[in-house]
Amino acid sequence: MASVCRVGSTVGRSLAKHRSPVLLSLRRGQRSVSYAQSLAGAPETRLTALDNGLRVASEETGHATCTVGLWIGAGSRYESEKNNGAGFFLEHMAFKGTKKHSQTALEQQVESMGAHLSAYTSREHTAYYMKTLAQDLPKAVELLSEVVQSSSLSEAEVEQQRAVVLRELDEEEGNLQEVCMDLLHATAFQGTPLSHSVLGPSANARTLTRQDLVEYLSSHYKAPRMVLSAAGGVNHEELVGLAKAHFSGLSFEYEGDAVPVLSPCRFTGSEIRMRDDAMPLAHVAIAVEGASVTSPDVVPLMVANAIIGSYHISNGGGKNQSSRLAAMAAEENFCQSFQAFHSSYSDTGLMGIYFVTDKHHIEDMMHWSQNAWMNMCTTVTESDVARGKKALKATLVGQLNGTTPICDDIGRHVLNYGSRVSLAEWDARINAVTPKVVRDICSKYIYDKCPAVAAIGPVEQLPDYNRTRSSMYWLRVVTMCSVPVWLSLVLLLPWCAQGQRGGPDQDQDRDRDRDRSGLLSAWFPPEVRPLLRQGRAPSRLPKRGQQGSRFALSLDVPTSILSVLIDLAKNQDLRTKAAANAELMARIG
Amino acid sequence: MATHMSRCRSWSRVQRYGIAAYREYSGGGGGGGRYPNLSLSSPLPGIPTPLFASVEDAHGKCETRITTLDNGLRVASQNKFGQFCTVGILVNSGSRHETKYPSGIAHFLEKLAFSSTAQYGSRDEILLTLEKHGGICDCQTSRDTTMYAISAEARGLDTVVSLLSDAVLHPRLLDEEIEMTRMAVRFELEDLNMRPDPEPLLTEMIHAAAYRGNTVGLPRFCPIDNVDQIDKAVLHSYLRSYYGPERMVLAGVGIEHEQLVECAQKYLLNARPVWGDATPATVDLSLAQYTGGIVKMEKDMSDVSLGPTPIPELAHIMIGLESCSFLEDDFIPFAVLNMMMGGGGSFSAGGPGKGMFTRLYLNVLNRHHWMYNATAYHHSYEDSGLLCIHASADPRQVRETVEIITREFIQMAGTPGEMELARAKTQLKSMLMMNLESRPVIFEDVGRQVLSTGKRKLPHELCALISNVTASDIKRVTAKMLRSKPAVAALGDLTELPSFEHIQTALSSKDGRLPRMYRLFR
């Protein structure tokens, strides 16, 4: 699920300090076994640091297999315009032979162990990992240490891999989701290193030299920025021993003390569109600046994403899907697929919605995606949040199904947070999320913020940026009594149309209906009136309250609508006055 | 924590009864109130000390325990740490049992699973109930087994078992649900023919060729003509014969055995199915008869791509020979042989570990760059089995493709290299163990083994058996296999396809070459 944050890494500086593993086993409170305790029905994650700063973390699950790997705090974000793509190139070179083993020998060794050797590079992380039978752990660590520390990097091999990398770049061009997300980063973080793609431009792939790769390797593959992570049938002491044997030689000093310091990345609300009418489908991503990996706001944002959900045309369920956007997409055929995503990096993030649709439904999808966001900021209901929390918890637990995901989780957590955040802690943080928290945090990140938009394909219909921007808030009339009544109004599409289109929603649970204050019918729910009257108790009246309610507009509204709103508010005022008079009369009478 | 919870609860009450008037919007308040504003890199205070599972206590518990209830239903479970469990009912019923019924019943039952039941008014209600325990449900049918499974939090076990019992024994099978199923089945059949990946279709065809008209050769997918024939009465009559408790296993992974047995006794022991008493006398007990033969499907595959990137036109050939049932001892050598053949797609990504040194890579894909795919498969059932090789290439090269497969089959009979054999054995062991990392796979393994043999061979026992396989075992099983008549499935433009007799001749020759064809006019 995309809503589960794809985390980047922490900065080099913060990598040096880490939480003592002892903290993990400290007793914190209650004696009896609570739910949160039983949550940790998983084994403990143990963490040890070597003298050179390399950290070793493992979880012993008793499987007959294990995954062991090296997670490194380096990625395309550490590259410059000139060497962008070096990390990815280096990853390609990794399995092409080491100083000890030729490529064939390396492949044969891995295959004969029945193991899998893989690697990935992201914007802030690089990982090399191996999945193997538990008894082969020593061999696996040895091979990994060779791959990372003594890759042969021969000139001839670099030239040969250049062609492969270029072909892969070509293939990547066909993966429109990746292209769209790269464009989104390029526009959202323009002028900063986060705008670089992981693969780098083809011009760089043609010109990068062996020297560039060696430089990249020697300036980033440093012990304090590495985590040797393992999960499965691994013994922590054994792993620490192996790490000492194979990784003690890794340097922790930078040449001339030139520690690469990450420049802060600035988010720019902006738009990029690549129109190509020959393409069958449009790929669009819209995002606002999200939370950084360590920010506590990540959790409510992930809950919000879980509520918005995802959809693919091949999903069953149709209009019965629990996500409202998905139900609508299925019923009205608005899109092929959509996904709410949140990618976080060490100091910033991107929270957005990515969708694929035909050229006639781009506007609809934009509208309903932003509408979903506005709902998050204003009217998200108790039942929505409860569902989102359940879904998020299930995803968090569910994705740890096997040694490789656990190992990946450990590696990224240690790089990001300095230790592994336990499931119990996630659970407590998710439990603390309430509808109010979701509304507040979403408002903080989404409401009235400039979004970044990236679109490729037949995107003529994509609304102009100013229109997109103006859907990032809902215009509302604010009627202020002692009890504030906030009313909201969607301006850009007439709300009567929304009332019709929102048809499937209306039969949903009552909570939800009541919270739909966008609908005219819900503007003045009968329950408000007694409360208003109660609010008029003299002791709690504000000074000007005696004259009735005061209304203010949060933003400039076209005059025609303004007059309608004023009339409505006047009527309301009259009605309450009449009610108050009637009550007074009744009392006197 | 406790105060936290209670406060949330009282807040939710306000939310429910106090309505919109109290709501504060953005701008008001700002920060998240009670929400802990603490960086994720520092530990959240107030979290109870976790009780960590350790491998020592896990070892004693992690064995499969089996109990048979009074009505014959078997309960099998295996504990595993983690808060989620997978529980399900496996029924010895699948398309192979449809001899006396219209084909496609199992397919219908798969699609109808977890629809409305006696307790639950609709599928939505079931999903809603499961959602409370973070659960998901799924039903899968194969040729010989139907599997209803639920993954959910272990605390919800009681609800899960009650739901399973209800879904299996008390489905309402409403008319509109059956109508929906008909549509779903039709859609799936259509989709099957459009999909660029021909694998399911080829598997179906080679089974039909290998076991002509009997047991596992019966269609797994409902034939289009039967879609309208199948109704509630037919389904009930089928269920009456095959859904008896003695043909079922309740399997669970990640739960205590006693708990599962208790739930089984509560919900499955005295449950009377909605279709009345079982009539086990009508169960079809026939054994699979391997016949061999050919099934061809001429089809225009020039434009199968669903996306913007075009897929080249391919012809697909699958050739299989009879192997053995999974109950025989020869099953393990066959599995090793399958691993040794390996193979895959010629453009598949992935680093070392995808089987780069298997025979179909070394002898076929690395030598003939025009081949798009060469993969070995092994299907095994309780009374027979099928080892086959699938290859795809340009339709103009069908003849060469066939010859390459037949030559590989003949070469299997030679003595395998020591390295090669050792590698295949290790890879088989590691594949087995890696698959068993995930809970649903353990569940399926436990369930299937108990259903077919009444007990479970533990992974390390299987590993020991794999270690014992020798080169002569491989030679022996291959020689036996090569004596059987081939089964051939061919899909696509087949103008260049050699005749079945020629394929048969090639497979009984020494070098696997097709008989030469003399053609006057090219």
Side-chain angles (χ1 to χ4, degrees):
Chain A
M1 194 168 196
S3 56
V4 175
C5 74
R6 275 184 284 152
V7 271
S9 90
T10 17
V11 209
R13 276 170 280 125
S14 67
L15 285 180
K17 65 167 201 269
H18 63 271
R19 235 155 78 194
S20 147
V22 187
L23 265 181
L24 284 173
S25 47
L26 272 184
R27 309 202 59 176
R28 297 192 200 115
Q30 295 141 331
R31 296 261 159 89
S32 62
V33 181
S34 68
Y35 166 57
Q37 278 182 314
S38 70
L39 246 191
E44 185 177 4
T45 307
R46 297 179 59 192
L47 183 64
T48 310
L50 299 190
D51 292 340
N52 59 0
L54 182 126
R55 284 158 294 170
V56 183
S58 73
E59 177 180 309
E60 183 172 6
T61 58
H63 283 116
T65 51
C66 68
T67 303
V68 58
L70 214 57
W71 267 255
I72 308 170
S76 61
R77 190 179 170 174
Y78 294 82
E79 293 162 359
S80 67
E81 207 103 296
K82 207 183 127 269
N83 72 349
N84 183 204
F88 180 72
F89 208 119
L90 201 59
E91 175 206 316
H92 258 259
M93 297 298 299
F95 304 150
K96 300 297 173 284
T98 65
K99 285 173 188 150
K100 255 196 216 158
H101 296 102
S102 69
Q103 179 180 352
T104 328
L106 183 72
E107 282 172 357
Q108 218 154 15
Q109 285 216 11
V110 176
E111 291 266 349
S112 300
M113 286 159 68
H116 300 272
L117 180 57
S118 335
Y120 72 77
T121 312
S122 67
R123 287 191 161 76
E124 291 185 338
H125 289 170
T126 305
Y128 299 91
Y129 57 96
M130 200 158 167
K131 189 171 184 168
T132 178
L133 286 170
Q135 76 246 21
D136 291 330
L137 178 75
K139 187 80 202 158
V141 176
E142 189 193 324
L143 284 178
L144 279 169
S145 92
E146 270 185 42
V147 160
V148 173
Q149 297 180 72
S150 51
S151 188
S152 62
L153 290 182
S154 70
E155 287 285 0
E157 200 52 65
V158 171
E159 289 311 315
Q160 207 180 345
Q161 280 307 301
R162 202 185 294 287
V164 179
V165 169
L166 282 169
R167 204 183 76 190
E168 204 147 308
L169 279 175
D170 261 358
E171 267 170 38
E172 198 65 14
E173 201 93 311
N175 183 350
L176 292 169
Q177 173 165 5
E178 286 301 313
V179 176
C180 191
M181 293 313 277
D182 278 349
L183 282 179
L184 185 70
H185 279 85
T187 184
F189 298 111
Q190 50 189 281
T192 72
L194 258 184
S195 66
H196 297 156
S197 76
V198 175
L199 277 68
S202 56
N204 281 5
R206 280 195 198 91
T207 52
L208 280 172
T209 59
R210 179 175 185 274
Q211 193 50 36
D212 289 321
L213 301 185
V214 172
E215 251 164 46
Y216 181 87
L217 194 141
S218 59
S219 58
H220 295 301
Y221 285 22
K222 295 288 176 192
R225 286 163 68 180
M226 288 188 184
V227 178
L228 182 70
S229 156
V234 287
N235 178 287
H236 189 70
E237 279 74 29
E238 189 193 351
L239 186 70
V240 172
L242 288 168
K244 279 185 183 148
H246 295 292
F247 291 103
S248 284
L250 264 171
S251 96
F252 52 92
E253 285 166 324
Y254 291 92
E255 220 170 294
D257 268 348
V259 182
V261 178
L262 279 184
S263 52
C265 283
R266 140 203 91 220
F267 177 92
T268 312
S270 53
E271 159 186 281
I272 186 165
R273 41 176 103 195
M274 283 172 67
R275 185 170 161 190
D276 179 356
D277 285 355
M279 280 166 55
L281 293 170
H283 297 247
V284 182
I286 173 169
V288 290
E289 179 169 19
S292 70
V293 259
T294 51
S295 162
D297 297 345
V298 163
V299 179
L301 290 181
M302 288 199 294
V303 172
N305 272 347
I307 298 170
I308 298 173
S310 66
Y311 167 75
H312 190 271
I313 195 155
S314 64
N315 281 9
K319 66 179 164 96
N320 291 326
Q321 296 183 88
S322 47
S323 149
R324 248 171 287 162
L325 190 55
M328 191 145 44
E331 212 175 12
E332 311 277 338
N333 257 328
F334 276 157
C335 65
Q336 299 278 309
S337 68
F338 80 81
Q339 238 179 12
F341 62 87
H342 187 268
S343 325
S344 22
Y345 302 104
S346 53
D347 51 357
T348 181
L350 274 182
M351 158 146 182
I353 298 177
Y354 163 79
F355 59 85
V356 180
T357 185
D358 62 73
K359 58 184 169 190
H360 301 300
H361 287 107
I362 301 174
E363 203 176 348
D364 284 326
M365 264 320 278
M366 271 309 250
H367 171 74
W368 289 112
S369 303
Q370 290 184 291
N371 187 60
W373 269 353
M374 290 305 105
N375 275 327
M376 285 304 127
C377 300
T378 56
T379 57
V380 68
T381 64
E382 189 86 12
S383 59
D384 280 338
V385 173
R387 179 175 61 76
K389 282 157 75 173
K390 277 261 156 62
L392 180 61
K393 283 185 203 175
T395 329
L396 278 180
V397 179
Q399 68 184 354
L400 297 177
N401 60 346
T403 60
T404 310
I406 297 178
C407 186
D408 187 44
D409 200 56
I410 298 175
R412 286 185 296 120
H413 275 201
V414 176
L415 283 182
N416 287 331
Y417 311 125
S419 70
R420 178 136 189 247
V421 178
S422 67
L423 277 177
E425 184 168 338
W426 283 120
D427 199 64
R429 284 183 186 269
I430 295 171
N431 280 339
V433 175
T434 61
K436 180 178 172 346
V437 172
V438 173
R439 285 194 290 262
D440 287 346
I441 301 289
C442 282
S443 299
K444 181 173 155 193
Y445 286 91
I446 301 170
Y447 195 84
D448 202 11
K449 298 280 185 254
C450 295
V453 181
I456 0 173
V459 292
E460 185 183 11
Q461 206 192 39
L462 185 74
D464 163 71
Y465 186 78
N466 286 321
R467 248 187 78 194
T468 306
R469 174 65 183 85
S470 65
S471 301
M472 293 301 286
Y473 50 82
W474 271 353
L475 292 176
R476 6 160 126 130
V477 180
V478 183
T479 343
M480 283 182 186
C481 313
S482 55
V483 184
V485 183
W486 300 67
L487 302 167
S488 59
L489 173 68
V490 186
L491 260 191
L492 287 177
L493 280 196
W495 31 258
C496 45
Q498 189 200 5
Q500 282 162 6
R501 288 201 192 169
D505 298 347
Q506 281 171 353
D507 306 326
Q508 309 264 352
D509 57 348
R510 240 183 301 152
D511 274 354
R512 198 177 280 173
D513 254 3
R514 215 178 281 157
D515 277 325
R516 275 287 148 108
S517 32
L519 294 177
L520 193 57
S521 58
W523 267 34
F524 302 111
E527 298 92 324
V528 179
R529 282 168 219 149
L531 278 170
L532 281 176
R533 219 177 298 140
Q534 216 175 33
R536 281 166 185 282
S539 60
R540 291 176 62 195
L541 275 183
K543 274 178 189 168
R544 295 177 56 191
Q546 232 115 23
Q547 276 80 48
S549 48
R550 176 170 66 94
F551 43 88
L553 289 171
S554 53
L555 284 149
D556 52 341
V557 185
T559 42
S560 54
I561 294 172
L562 183 69
S563 62
V564 173
L565 295 177
I566 292 173
D567 284 347
L568 279 170
K570 271 185 188 161
N571 287 341
Q572 161 75 1
D573 201 19
L574 278 177
R575 251 179 299 167
T576 43
K577 261 185 200 158
N581 283 341
E583 199 185 76
L584 194 69
M585 290 304 283
R587 264 193 213 152
I588 295 168
Chain B
M1 194 68 208
T3 55
H4 229 103
M5 291 303 288
S6 67
R7 263 201 266 161
C8 293
R9 224 171 291 132
S10 64
W11 195 84
S12 66
R13 209 170 296 131
V14 171
Q15 175 70 7
R16 215 164 299 145
Y17 305 112
I19 50 91
Y22 275 120
R23 209 167 35 232
E24 271 183 46
Y25 281 108
S26 53
R34 283 181 301 275
Y35 186 72
N37 193 19
L38 194 65
S39 157
L40 284 165
S41 53
S42 40
L44 198 65
I47 292 192
T49 328
L51 289 187
F52 291 117
S54 75
V55 178
E56 287 76 44
D57 16 301
H59 262 312
K61 288 181 204 155
C62 284
E63 61 177 34
T64 311
R65 293 177 58 190
I66 302 164
T67 308
T68 310
L69 298 189
D70 294 342
N71 62 356
L73 184 131
R74 283 157 291 177
V75 182
S77 81
Q78 156 123 13
N79 211 337
K80 183 177 189 297
F81 42 57
Q83 50 164 343
F84 271 65
C85 65
T86 301
V87 180
I89 294 182
L90 289 93
V91 192
N92 190 359
S93 142
S95 55
R96 68 171 291 169
H97 299 109
E98 290 165 359
T99 324
K100 297 173 192 162
Y101 296 90
S103 283
I105 293 183
H107 194 187
F108 259 72
L109 287 174
E110 177 187 55
K111 294 273 166 276
L112 275 167
F114 297 108
S115 295
S116 69
T117 66
Q119 275 182 56
Y120 299 94
S122 67
R123 187 184 294 247
D124 287 355
E125 270 180 48
I126 293 182
L127 293 180
L128 217 61
T129 313
L130 278 176
E131 207 172 52
K132 289 196 189 101
H133 299 285
I136 45 167
C137 61
D138 186 28
C139 176
Q140 281 176 18
T141 319
S142 58
R143 285 170 202 280
D144 54 359
T145 315
T146 304
M147 198 163 66
Y148 298 79
I150 292 179
S151 284
E153 280 172 352
R155 291 176 305 154
L157 183 66
D158 195 77
T159 323
V160 167
V161 177
S162 122
L163 204 161
L164 273 171
S165 146
D166 221 35
V168 176
L169 299 174
H170 302 118
R172 289 193 197 169
L173 304 179
L174 301 175
D175 288 343
E176 68 251 35
E177 283 169 353
I178 293 184
E179 201 42 58
M180 284 293 283
T181 307
R182 288 195 181 121
M183 275 162 60
V185 168
R186 277 200 200 100
F187 175 77
E188 198 170 316
L189 292 175
E190 211 172 289
D191 183 59
L192 199 66
N193 280 312
M194 268 170 42
R195 236 189 279 179
D197 172 28
E199 169 54 29
L201 204 56
L202 275 174
T203 310
E204 183 85 359
M205 285 160 65
I206 199 145
H207 276 88
Y211 304 92
R212 195 158 288 254
N214 73 80
T215 59
V216 288
L218 296 175
R220 142 101 179 72
F221 297 103
C222 181
I224 196 85
D225 304 329
N226 285 1
V227 173
D228 289 318
Q229 276 183 43
I230 296 171
D231 56 15
K232 191 171 172 177
V234 176
L235 290 172
H236 270 183
S237 125
Y238 176 88
L239 289 166
R240 215 171 285 135
S241 334
Y242 288 102
Y243 274 45
E246 69 291 340
R247 299 178 67 88
M248 285 183 191
V249 170
L250 174 72
V253 175
I255 29 113
E256 297 287 342
H257 189 67
E258 287 74 21
Q259 258 181 310
L260 188 65
V261 172
E262 201 179 293
C263 289
Q265 269 161 349
K266 196 161 148 198
Y267 296 110
L268 287 160
L269 186 56
N270 298 314
R272 191 172 179 275
V274 69
W275 47 81
D277 290 320
T279 49
T282 53
V283 167
D284 173 36
L285 294 171
S286 50
L287 290 180
Q289 298 296 315
Y290 182 87
T291 57
I294 185 165
V295 171
K296 290 195 267 190
M297 192 188 275
E298 295 262 1
K299 205 171 125 186
D300 178 21
M301 309 264 290
S302 54
D303 187 24
V304 287
S305 167
L306 299 175
T309 29
I311 297 177
E313 180 179 0
L314 296 176
H316 303 274
I317 309 292
M318 199 183 250
I319 299 181
L321 290 168
E322 187 180 16
S323 61
C324 75
S325 97
F326 57 69
L327 297 176
E328 288 171 54
D329 292 339
D330 280 349
F331 175 67
I332 303 281
F334 269 117
V336 174
L337 181 63
N338 178 39
M339 205 70 203
M340 204 162 80
M341 299 313 293
S346 60
F347 294 129
S348 65
K354 61 174 179 175
M356 300 168 146
F357 290 90
T358 55
R359 283 200 189 169
L360 290 181
Y361 263 105
L362 291 179
N363 298 353
V364 178
L365 292 168
N366 292 356
R367 286 193 199 166
H368 309 282
H369 290 282
W370 44 269
M371 295 274 283
Y372 278 81
N373 188 328
T375 320
Y377 296 93
H378 187 209
H379 304 278
S380 196
Y381 303 95
E382 61 186 27
D383 39 16
S384 182
L386 190 62
L387 185 94
C388 41
I389 295 179
H390 165 209
S392 358
D394 191 277
R396 281 165 297 181
Q397 278 160 312
V398 166
R399 200 181 149 81
E400 285 103 312
T401 311
V402 169
E403 198 167 67
I404 286 167
I405 306 179
T406 51
R407 282 163 65 183
E408 279 309 310
F409 265 115
I410 296 298
Q411 276 179 28
M412 284 183 208
T415 313
E418 210 171 293
M419 275 266 280
E420 178 179 47
L421 183 65
R423 186 182 302 127
K425 279 156 62 172
T426 318
Q427 282 179 336
L428 183 61
K429 280 188 252 179
S430 81
M431 189 184 79
L432 178 79
M433 288 309 192
M434 283 173 192
N435 284 340
L436 287 175
E437 277 179 12
S438 95
R439 197 173 2 88
V441 179
I442 304 180
F443 159 77
E444 201 177 324
D445 184 49
V446 170
R448 278 183 192 272
Q449 287 204 37
V450 173
L451 189 65
S452 52
T453 64
K455 54 184 190 295
R456 181 182 183 223
K457 255 192 200 133
L458 290 172
H460 64 262
E461 294 169 336
L462 288 171
C463 282
L465 290 175
I466 295 170
S467 301
N468 292 338
V469 173
T470 61
S472 62
D473 286 330
I474 302 284
K475 261 184 100 161
R476 177 171 48 82
V477 297
T478 316
K480 195 181 96 186
M481 176 177 77
L482 282 170
R483 284 199 289 274
S484 66
K485 199 173 150 189
V488 181
L491 176 69
D493 175 359
L494 304 174
T495 35
E496 295 290 314
L497 183 74
S499 69
F500 179 69
E501 287 68 32
H502 281 187
I503 297 174
Q504 207 173 352
T505 319
L507 279 170
S508 46
S509 70
K510 274 213 172 72
D511 53 1
R513 282 185 191 281
L514 290 166
R516 272 208 228 146
M517 298 241 296
Y518 297 100
R519 276 195 263 181
L520 273 181
F521 306 105
R522 291 242 162 203

